[in-house]
Amino acid sequence: MLPIYCGHFGLTREPFNITPDPNFLYMSVSHREALAQLVYGIKARRGFVVLTGEVGTGKTTMIQCLLDELNSTTKTALIFNMVVSPKDLLRYVCEKFGLVAHHESLKEIHDYVSLLERFLLESYRKGENVALIIDEAQNLSTEVLENVRLLSNFETAQDKLLQILLVGQPELGVRLNASELRQIKQRVALRHHLTPLSYADCEKYIAKRLEIAGGSISLFGPKAIDAVHKYSGGIPRLVNIICDNALLTVYALRKDKVEAGMIAEVAQDLQLTVSPLFATNPVDLNVERATSLNLKNRGSGPADLAAPKPERNVTAADSTSKAQPDSVPIVSNVSDHTTATVVYSRDAKSNISTTTKFGSGVVSAQFLDYMISALTEAMGPMASVIVYEQIAAMGESVTEFPKRRVVELIEKTTREISSESAKANCKRAMLEGMRGNANGN
């Protein structure tokens, strides 16, 4: 049954249903990268793969997409039940692969292990792959996780017989970093964290769902979309809930368009507050848009940050705007120059511009390691591949990359980061690393 507002707006389908409908699938950069890593990890028999993400970011949708991508030569088992013991784990795995019937009495652990081993070896001889997917893996006990690790011991001299995908909330990543689970962490070949939607992705996400339902993005103005993004934090599930309630409000008021004020009312009813990470206001610095963000102190920053703010006349518009928190450096698009122009924004009423000279010569291996480390935080384990590919595309060498092209490399390697905040933070880390490297030399 369609919501009552559908007739009012001429919609033929419910546009913001929170159930994962593949017909409404929207793939952000982070989702595309996640799916690519999952498919590769299983098809290439990489063993352990981990996918994490906040509640509502689309992890279940990624699992469904993965199952659609895998061909008939891959046998899969999806476990989302509460697994309380190693024996439960083995029983569930054997049931999912059809090795035991649901009504059969419990067997001993070694019986399940023997059944599974024969099944994996037989599948391998037939040229078939086998994948085990465990959802909500952050809820597994340490004992069960350790037994999941033992399942990865099924292997030949060349290949892993069982590919294991652990999917869970960010707590899963925290748990895998614990010392008692370091053996699992060392076996993880691929790891990806789903990031929230950027403003641009949020707009496209809403537009696509409305279009499929027979409507258009014109139902939401730019300010309304911005409000949805801020209150949802870019979480797709929250975007759906907010938009669904907003359309109901518009229908009740007999309006024809969602306004920002309506989004605020809906958010208040749902007890949602503006996410600090996404409650940012763009500041026009002529060179490039900068976004004010609260950042953790990464150590001593550029000396220019201590310079006094230039004063200017305050207009009436300025007096009504709220002061913005300290901003991060924004690297301008520079190509093949010996200097890198960096713009710092302290607040919405002032900005500081400084030119940083990296000098001639080549960058050190330490800087490239620092750059890959910063990029890994934002993009995951593919960071090193991206850096090396971009250096090659620029016609340069990893061992002799010129300092004069550092800014260009930073721009190229960070452009696929979907979150503007994460992108700015990553640029800041890379730039500070280069400045420290230059000062050290």
Side-chain angles (χ1 to χ4, degrees):
M1 182 178 177
L2 293 177
I4 57 176
Y5 61 72
C6 286
H8 179 71
F9 297 113
L11 302 176
T12 57
R13 302 180 64 178
E14 184 176 358
F16 298 108
N17 197 327
I18 61 173
T19 57
D21 186 342
N23 294 314
F24 286 89
L25 178 63
Y26 174 79
M27 299 283 279
S28 68
V29 173
S30 181
H31 288 81
R32 288 197 299 271
E33 183 180 347
L35 182 59
Q37 289 197 26
L38 299 184
V39 172
Y40 167 75
I42 290 179
K43 288 188 174 181
R45 296 179 179 271
R46 302 295 290 171
F48 259 111
V49 182
V50 174
L51 174 66
T52 57
E54 285 290 350
V55 176
T57 49
K59 299 185 296 297
T60 301
T61 302
M62 286 295 95
I63 293 175
Q64 296 301 324
C65 290
L66 172 64
L67 295 176
D68 291 339
E69 287 285 331
L70 298 175
N71 55 36
S72 58
T73 60
T74 301
K75 298 177 179 178
T76 59
L78 172 60
I79 294 179
F80 50 85
N81 310 69
M82 185 65 180
V83 180
V84 297
S85 69
K87 183 180 288 189
D88 281 341
L89 171 68
L90 289 170
R91 179 178 175 84
Y92 282 136
V93 172
C94 289
E95 282 183 2
K96 292 293 183 178
F97 286 124
L99 306 181
V100 296
H102 179 71
H103 62 270
E104 285 187 31
S105 59
L106 284 175
K107 299 177 183 294
E108 295 299 322
I109 287 181
H110 67 84
D111 294 325
Y112 291 125
V113 172
S114 297
L115 283 172
L116 189 57
E117 183 177 22
R118 288 198 298 270
F119 167 72
L120 293 174
L121 287 171
E122 183 181 350
S123 298
Y124 185 74
R125 294 191 190 100
K126 294 178 179 178
E128 297 173 336
N129 201 354
V130 181
L132 170 63
I133 304 171
I134 303 178
D135 199 3
E136 302 295 343
Q138 78 279 352
N139 295 325
L140 299 179
S141 67
T142 300
E143 183 184 17
V144 173
L145 280 172
E146 175 61 18
N147 276 267
V148 172
R149 179 187 70 82
L150 294 176
L151 290 179
S152 68
N153 288 334
F154 290 118
E155 58 187 8
T156 66
Q158 294 82 27
D159 295 311
K160 291 286 186 181
L161 298 181
L162 180 64
Q163 320 315 315
I164 301 173
L165 169 59
L166 297 180
V167 182
Q169 297 168 24
E171 292 81 0
L172 173 61
V174 174
R175 293 196 60 200
L176 292 179
N177 288 331
S179 59
E180 64 266 24
L181 293 175
R182 61 186 180 278
Q183 288 181 301
I184 293 183
K185 182 180 178 180
Q186 291 174 2
R187 297 193 182 197
V188 175
L190 293 167
R191 191 168 179 170
H192 184 81
H193 182 75
L194 283 175
T195 57
L197 301 175
S198 64
Y199 172 83
D201 278 323
C202 186
E203 183 177 27
K204 293 175 183 176
Y205 178 85
I206 295 172
K208 179 171 183 177
R209 296 186 77 95
L210 285 170
E211 182 181 353
I212 293 173
S216 73
I217 192 62
S218 61
L219 288 175
F220 289 77
K223 291 183 179 179
I225 295 174
D226 183 57
V228 171
H229 183 241
K230 289 179 177 179
Y231 282 108
S232 68
I235 303 298
R237 185 180 298 164
L238 289 180
V239 172
N240 287 353
I241 293 173
I242 292 173
C243 289
D244 180 63
N245 280 269
L247 290 178
L248 184 60
T249 300
V250 174
Y251 166 77
L253 297 175
R254 292 298 188 268
K255 300 280 188 178
D256 57 3
K257 193 172 185 178
V258 177
E259 300 171 359
M262 298 175 184
I263 300 297
E265 286 186 24
V266 167
Q268 185 177 11
D269 292 340
L270 295 171
Q271 298 185 10
L272 297 174
T273 57
V274 175
S275 170
L277 184 62
F278 292 95
T280 56
N281 294 318
V283 181
D284 187 3
L285 299 178
N286 295 324
V287 178
E288 190 171 325
R289 266 181 57 199
T291 304
S292 298
L293 301 164
N294 285 319
L295 293 173
K296 294 180 180 178
N297 186 7
R298 286 179 172 266
S300 57
D304 302 281
L305 285 176
K309 304 177 188 178
E311 296 183 357
R312 66 177 179 83
N313 294 330
V314 180
T315 65
D318 292 328
S319 64
T320 60
S321 63
K322 296 181 180 179
Q324 303 297 311
D326 285 351
S327 179
V328 297
I330 305 297
V331 184
S332 62
N333 287 318
V334 181
S335 179
D336 203 21
H337 292 295
T338 58
T339 61
T341 301
V342 185
V343 179
Y344 296 90
S345 172
R346 285 302 192 109
D347 53 42
K349 300 180 183 179
S350 66
N351 62 74
I352 300 172
S353 177
T354 182
T355 301
T356 302
K357 295 183 178 181
F358 292 144
S360 58
V362 298
V363 301
S364 67
Q366 288 84 353
F367 167 70
L368 289 179
D369 289 341
Y370 189 96
M371 184 178 191
I372 291 171
S373 177
L375 197 62
T376 299
E377 288 189 23
M379 299 187 68
M382 297 297 289
S384 59
V385 176
I386 292 172
V387 171
Y388 296 144
E389 284 183 349
Q390 289 299 337
I391 290 176
M394 293 168 68
E396 301 289 353
S397 166
V398 173
T399 56
E400 297 183 356
F401 190 85
K403 292 182 178 179
R404 61 186 171 80
R405 302 194 71 182
V406 164
V407 174
E408 184 182 358
L409 179 61
I410 291 175
E411 282 298 320
K412 289 179 179 294
T413 54
T414 58
R415 64 189 176 190
E416 291 299 322
I417 300 176
S418 56
S419 168
E420 291 301 321
S421 60
K423 181 184 296 184
N425 198 6
C426 187
K427 287 181 178 180
R428 178 180 186 273
M430 291 180 183
L431 186 64
E432 287 186 355
M434 185 60 198
R435 288 170 66 91
N437 182 264
N439 293 336
N441 293 335

